[in-house]
Every structure is written in C-alpha cells, then in structure tokens.
Amino acid sequence: MATRICPSILNADHSRLFQEIDQVLSADLLHLDVMDNRFVPNQTFSLNECREIIGYSRIPVDTHLMIADPDEKAVLYAEAGSSSVTFHFEASSNPTNTIAQLHNSGVRVGLAVKPKTTFEAIEKFLPDIDMLLIMTVEPGFGGQAFMVDQLQKVVQAREAISKLVNKAPWLQVDGGISLDTIAAAAHAGADTFVAGSAIYKSTDPKDMIKKLRELALP
Ligand code: DX5
Ligand code: ZN
C-alpha cells in the first residue's frame, strides 16, 4: 500500500503562497481547502485563486471542497485542473450524479464525511469513488486537535475497501495529523494523509514531510 502525504496550504503564509508551495514539492499532493462560509464558518480561496494555485503547483492538486451546492460547482474545480476533487456527502443532494460528472471531467473523485456522519451512510458509494476522506476534525479550520474517535471509522472503511474487487479507493484522513497522530491513523488503515499546521508551522517542511512519511509506513 502506497503512502501519500498531502500538505494543506490552509495554514501556509498566504502572503507568500507560491514560495510556500515550493517548500513542499517532496510531497505527493498539494491539498487545497475550499471553504465558502456556508458549509463551514470560514472562507478561503476563490475559484480564480484555485486556478492560479493549480496552474503554479508542480505537484498534483487535491482539492477539498467544503462548500454548499457541490452538485452544481464541483465540476468547475475539475475543469480548473485539479488532480482530484473531493466533495462532502453532507452537502450533496445527489452524490451518485456528482461522482459521475466528476469522472466525466477526468479527475479522481473523492467523497468526504464529517465526524458525525457514519461509515454506513456512505458505504454504498465506495465502489464508485477513488478516495474516501474521513475528517478527523470538524471541517473549517486548521490547527485543531485530532479526533481519536474517528479511527474506528477508518478501520471500518479499510475493512470494506479490502473486500472490494478490482477497486481500491485511497483512504484519506484530514485534521490534526502530526508526528503524534499519523502512526495511529496509518495503523487504522489510512494511506493518504493531509497535514496542515504540522508541516507549515514546522521550521523545515521538507524534513517534516519525510518524518511523517516514515511514521505512516504500513
Ligand atoms: C480543515 C481542513 C484541513 C486543514 C488541516 O477543515 O480540511 O485540510 O487544513 O489542518 P491541520 O492539519 O492543521 O489540522
Ligand atoms: Zn482539507
């Protein structure tokens, strides 16, 4: 099982964003958190800013939409050049359709769940997606404490993924991932790790990516 580290630029210095992106080129994916002040009480990058970031980044961009109405808007982020687009189950009124639309746009498709959403609620979508994102904090802000109680959901998801035939969606965790928590998340079955403050508040982001990767090895 491959291990993927995805630095989140949410907690990077936005006044020097391009230099901040250049600090994490040893990572696998650049995690781009889009918030609209509706689905979550915070606002981040506009679609145009996303286009600039995606255009600049030399590593693939993993776009995490924390927005209302993803069924109408998700495709725009695929067309903007994202490598993967992840939308929230809780915000979607027709996940099946949005998954199909995104696939038609040529991106990898991720489905995200908030901490209170059960695995059972989204299990049926597993064969159709490329990544399941289990939030390990309430979405909206970086720098929050890792929710250990979400690990059980990761275990459940890994078990279900291992039973799929001809399909192995990536299993991503996002929120509070650090040197203290990444091994537990990996042990539970995650293979794709978002880390915001752990990487961007460290003095040496490249070394932090290396250390996180080592701790997450299966
Ligand atoms: C939170 C975002 C995360 C955030 C993670 O809603 O989805 O991607 O940037 O930040 P840390 O790693 O600091 O919890
Ligand atoms: Zn995120």
Side-chain angles (χ1 to χ4, degrees), residues 141-195:
F141 300 91
Q144 303 182 76
F146 180 75
M147 295 172 70
V148 184
D149 62 355
Q150 295 305 302
L151 288 179
Q152 186 49 37
K153 205 188 291 180
V154 177
V155 169
Q156 268 183 298
R158 173 52 64 199
E159 197 181 332
I161 289 170
S162 69
K163 290 184 186 141
L164 292 178
V165 181
N166 295 331
K167 183 91 200 196
W170 298 351
L171 184 49
Q172 186 176 52
V173 283
D174 180 5
I177 296 294
S178 69
L179 294 177
D180 296 329
T181 58
I182 196 166
H187 185 72
D191 57 12
T192 306
F193 306 85
V194 177

Side-chain angles (χ1 to χ4, degrees), residues 6-11 31-35 40 42 64 66 88 133 135-146 173-178 194-199 201:
C6 319
S8 162
I9 51 172
L10 182 65
N11 280 335
H31 185 81
L32 177 58
D33 287 306
V34 180
M35 306 185 188
V40 290
N42 194 4
H64 176 194
M66 286 160 277
H88 268 267
L133 165 50
M135 291 300 302
T136 42
V137 297
E138 284 296 339
F141 300 91
Q144 303 182 76
F146 180 75
V173 283
D174 180 5
I177 296 294
S178 69
V194 177
S197 30
I199 291 174
K201 303 287 178 223

Side-chain angles (χ1 to χ4, degrees), residues 2-132:
T3 297
R4 298 167 206 92
I5 305 291
C6 319
S8 162
I9 51 172
L10 182 65
N11 280 335
D13 180 349
H14 290 211
S15 69
R16 49 190 296 276
L17 202 50
F18 289 160
Q19 288 106 300
E20 293 278 71
I21 293 172
D22 286 340
Q23 300 246 26
V24 298
L25 296 179
S26 61
D28 301 276
L29 301 159
L30 186 74
H31 185 81
L32 177 58
D33 287 306
V34 180
M35 306 185 188
D36 65 351
N37 216 4
R38 292 174 63 205
F39 181 66
V40 290
N42 194 4
Q43 188 147 11
T44 58
F45 309 102
S46 69
L47 180 57
N48 264 335
E49 287 169 323
C50 290
R51 288 194 184 104
E52 281 182 42
I53 291 163
I54 292 165
Y56 181 80
S57 178
R58 279 178 280 147
I59 57 173
V61 175
D62 171 40
T63 301
H64 176 194
L65 299 179
M66 286 160 277
I67 59 171
D69 303 325
D71 302 327
E72 283 79 54
K73 296 182 184 144
V75 161
L76 299 174
Y77 295 85
E79 290 166 359
S82 304
S83 166
S84 50
V85 175
T86 299
F87 66 97
H88 268 267
F89 169 71
E90 301 85 359
S92 171
S93 37
N94 194 343
T96 302
N97 194 45
T98 301
I99 290 166
Q101 273 188 29
L102 285 171
H103 272 141
N104 284 340
S105 311
V107 285
R108 293 180 58 87
V109 181
L111 186 63
V113 286
K114 298 209 284 186
K116 288 194 187 74
T117 302
T118 63
F119 174 69
E120 286 79 10
I122 53 85
E123 184 167 14
K124 67 172 179 186
F125 299 108
L126 264 192
D128 301 324
I129 59 177
D130 302 298
M131 183 166 80
L132 175 63

